[in-house]
Amino acid sequence: MPDAAEKTAAEDTGERWWHRWFRTPRELRELGVVGINMRNARFLLPNNPRRLYDLVDNKLRTKALAEAEGMKVAETYGVLLSPHDANRVEKFVEGRDAFVIKPTRGSGGKGIMVIDKRAGKNFVKPSGAEVTPGDLKNHVSNILAGLFSLGGKRDYALIEYRVQPAKLLTALSFQGAPDIRVVMLHGYPVMAMLRASTKESDGRSNLHQGAVGIGIDIATGMTVRAIHHGKPITEHPDLGIGLIGVQIPDWDTILHMAVTCQLMTGLGYLGVDIMIDETLGPLMIEVNARPGLAIQMANGIGLLRRLEPVVAQHLKHPTADLEAKIAFSKKHFRAKLPPARD
């Protein structure tokens, strides 16, 4: 445990647990940090029946469920099912300058190729790198072979609308479309973060690929903290723009969509990914039955401090409706807000 002098020095500099690389198990428990074993044993396995996983592991099924609930999703341009389709991929994107190719059973952002525009016969990624038609066919072939899918199983390639992010969020991201991850337990939003791409992440928003994680206050939708490769930052590493004190637009709509995703899948513990399109507004992108734990670092608080109150509330009110769950989360998980950014 840190001594008094260490504590004083840490308090003087604003240092907290997430500024250190090593903590003892006892310190982590006191801080409410949830590790992967605790996540699986206490929250994921008891609340996520195996039979429901395919509803979210298969992006086509998830999109169909969301559309049935009246939620907006990225338009599907085509689904490539076979090597014959891979050879015709240019036909599927004919007349489209911008689009996204992704595996239907991918995870962690693996296998997602974002195309922003065309350059002659080639295609251009957010980083500016050019992709030839042959590269596109090879990428689709790799998806079909299961190179990026969960368990390495054969897969399909999904081609869909390239979200044009709201201008406010575009300013926070290096040439990519930021997305919002909301972690839920029993339909209660417990923690949220904005994931913004960097030059390193090549237009993708996955933190382990170099994207920035920005914690969001559940009550208001304002950004409160940010990290890059696990270290706290206040400005985007490529753009130099401030990341704290930004009001996320359509916040109440985003919370409603997240809770609806829990209801439509039946999963108890999940993460919901949403993007905000400049003209279409919030779009449901995908649902994750095994959401990662870096969201704790982005928000500077351990998940356990929010999951345990939800467990108690769910036991007392097992039939609480959507509005009651959102009201509970807003009331009990309010963060200390920074000054709003101009």
Side-chain angles (χ1 to χ4, degrees):
M1 292 291 288
D3 59 24
E6 184 183 356
K7 283 185 177 179
T8 302
E11 288 164 0
D12 287 345
T13 59
E15 187 180 23
R16 297 292 187 270
W17 65 268
W18 48 85
H19 294 172
R20 293 172 44 181
W21 288 102
F22 176 77
R23 286 285 178 179
T24 67
R26 178 180 174 183
E27 285 179 295
L28 294 175
R29 283 196 299 273
E30 290 174 348
L31 293 164
V33 175
V34 173
I36 193 164
N37 290 335
M38 182 191 292
R39 180 201 69 172
N40 292 345
R42 292 185 58 181
F43 303 106
L44 196 154
L45 295 176
N47 296 304
N48 290 358
R50 194 75 188 172
R51 60 184 168 78
L52 299 179
Y53 276 43
D54 194 61
L55 296 178
V56 297
D57 287 346
N58 184 333
K59 293 177 177 60
L60 291 174
R61 293 192 72 182
T62 314
K63 289 181 79 168
L65 286 173
E67 289 177 315
E69 293 291 335
M71 256 187 284
K72 294 179 183 177
V73 298
E75 179 185 352
T76 298
Y77 294 155
V79 182
L80 284 65
L81 308 175
S82 66
H84 174 70
D85 287 342
N87 290 328
R88 298 173 57 241
V89 61
E90 286 184 90
K91 192 72 177 176
F92 282 83
V93 298
E94 195 172 67
R96 312 281 187 185
D97 289 337
F99 53 87
V100 175
I101 300 179
K102 59 172 68 172
T104 62
R105 293 180 177 276
S107 67
K110 296 174 184 173
I112 296 178
M113 179 181 283
V114 180
I115 298 296
D116 263 351
K117 59 184 178 183
R118 292 176 182 255
K121 293 182 178 179
N122 293 341
F123 306 89
V124 182
K125 297 165 69 174
S127 63
E130 289 197 17
V131 176
T132 67
D135 294 333
L136 216 59
K137 293 175 186 175
N138 288 337
H139 186 70
V140 171
S141 296
N142 287 334
I143 291 175
L144 297 177
L147 189 64
F148 311 109
S149 71
L150 288 163
K153 297 179 181 176
R154 294 187 65 82
D155 203 356
Y156 300 145
L158 173 64
I159 304 177
E160 64 181 19
Y161 171 70
R162 199 285 200 221
V163 175
Q164 303 299 321
K167 291 177 181 175
L168 173 68
L169 301 184
T170 305
L172 305 179
S173 187
F174 183 83
Q175 298 179 344
D179 72 3
I180 296 164
R181 160 69 59 87
V182 183
V183 171
M184 318 276 298
L185 178 64
H186 299 310
Y188 292 83
V190 296
M191 204 169 279
M193 71 172 167
L194 178 72
R195 300 182 297 186
S197 61
T198 62
K199 188 174 184 179
E200 175 187 357
S201 71
D202 194 21
R204 291 166 293 197
S205 57
N206 299 85
L207 268 57
H208 65 276
Q209 292 176 331
V212 172
I214 308 170
I216 303 174
D217 175 38
I218 285 287
T220 62
M222 181 175 286
T223 59
V224 294
R225 193 168 178 280
I227 58 164
H228 184 226
H229 287 304
K231 296 181 180 179
I233 57 173
T234 57
E235 296 180 347
H236 193 285
D238 300 314
L239 306 173
I241 190 168
L243 302 172
I244 314 300
V246 178
Q247 178 62 54
I248 302 297
D250 299 309
W251 185 241
D252 282 344
T253 300
I254 289 168
L255 291 180
H256 278 74
M257 291 174 72
V259 179
T260 302
C261 284
Q262 189 275 325
L263 294 172
M264 77 185 191
T265 61
L267 293 167
Y269 184 73
L270 67 158
V272 178
D273 295 343
I274 293 170
M275 286 183 176
I276 304 178
D277 187 86
E278 177 67 14
T279 56
L280 302 175
L283 304 175
M284 195 287 297
I285 300 301
E286 66 180 60
V287 178
N288 193 317
R290 314 162 191 82
L293 299 166
I295 196 170
Q296 299 175 106
M297 298 182 73
N299 282 272
I301 185 170
L303 266 169
L304 196 61
R305 293 183 176 178
R306 298 188 175 183
L307 295 174
E308 287 186 332
V310 165
V311 170
Q313 180 70 5
H314 183 62
L315 286 173
K316 285 193 293 187
H317 303 284
T319 61
D321 63 16
L322 180 150
E323 296 293 346
K325 291 179 177 180
I326 291 176
F328 176 88
S329 295
K330 282 189 169 186
K331 179 180 179 180
H332 294 277
F333 303 146
R334 180 179 294 274
K336 183 179 179 180
L337 296 179
R341 204 190 66 176
D342 292 334

